[in-house]
Amino acid sequence: QVQVVESGGGLVRPGGSLRLSCAASGSIFSISNVGWYRQAPGKERELVADITSGGYTNYADSVKGRFTVSRDNAKNVVYLQMNSLKPEDTAVYYCNVEVRLSEIMRNYYWGQGTQVTVSS
C-alpha cells in the first residue's frame, strides 16, 4: 500500500512564500516523475509544475519565475517552493507521483491535497 501526502499549505499574504512537500511512503522502491497540480473551486485541475526522474523541470506560464520544484530522492520527497504568491494562486494543491514499486513495476498516485490561500 502506497501513501502520498502533501503538506505545507496555509494562509499567506500576497508576496509571501510557502514550501509544499509531497512525500511518498509505504511499500515503495523509489519515486520517479512527479507533477504538482492545483484546483480552485469551480475550476478544472491544472498542471503547475513537474519534475522528471532525471531532475528536468517544467512550469506553467502563470508560475514561471516564482515557483521552483525540486526533489530529494533519498527521502522520496518532492518540494514546490512558491515565492511572490498572488491571490490567483489560491487553490488546493495536489501532487501526482509516479511510484516505483519494484525495478519494473510503476503506478501513479494522488495525494489528498493541501490548501493554499493567498489573501490580505
Side-chain angles (χ1 to χ4, degrees):
Q1 185 172 342
V2 175
Q3 186 87 359
V4 174
V5 177
E6 303 95 334
S7 62
L11 173 64
V12 297
R13 297 282 198 267
S17 298
L18 285 173
R19 189 175 78 158
L20 306 184
S21 298
C22 174
S25 62
S27 301
I28 63 174
F29 184 72
S30 64
I31 61 174
S32 296
N33 304 321
V34 177
W36 281 100
Y37 297 77
R38 67 186 181 189
Q39 187 168 24
K43 304 185 74 173
E44 294 183 347
R45 188 172 298 186
E46 62 178 350
L47 178 66
V48 175
D50 60 68
I51 185 167
T52 70
S53 59
Y56 294 98
T57 58
N58 177 67
Y59 301 92
D61 288 341
S62 59
V63 306
K64 283 181 179 177
R66 300 188 297 120
F67 290 11
T68 303
V69 62
S70 61
R71 62 192 299 151
D72 185 337
N73 290 330
K75 297 180 179 179
N76 293 326
V77 175
V78 172
Y79 304 98
L80 184 66
Q81 179 67 47
M82 306 186 296
N83 299 325
S84 302
L85 283 163
K86 304 174 180 179
E88 306 94 275
D89 297 318
T90 296
V92 178
Y93 283 71
Y94 301 88
C95 63
N96 183 260
V97 183
E98 182 186 24
V99 177
R100 296 179 62 196
L101 303 175
S102 69
E103 287 285 358
I104 61 173
M105 186 175 180
R106 304 184 182 192
N107 280 316
Y108 290 85
Y109 298 87
W110 286 99
Q112 83 293 336
T114 184
Q115 177 71 49
V116 172
T117 302
V118 185
S119 179
S120 300

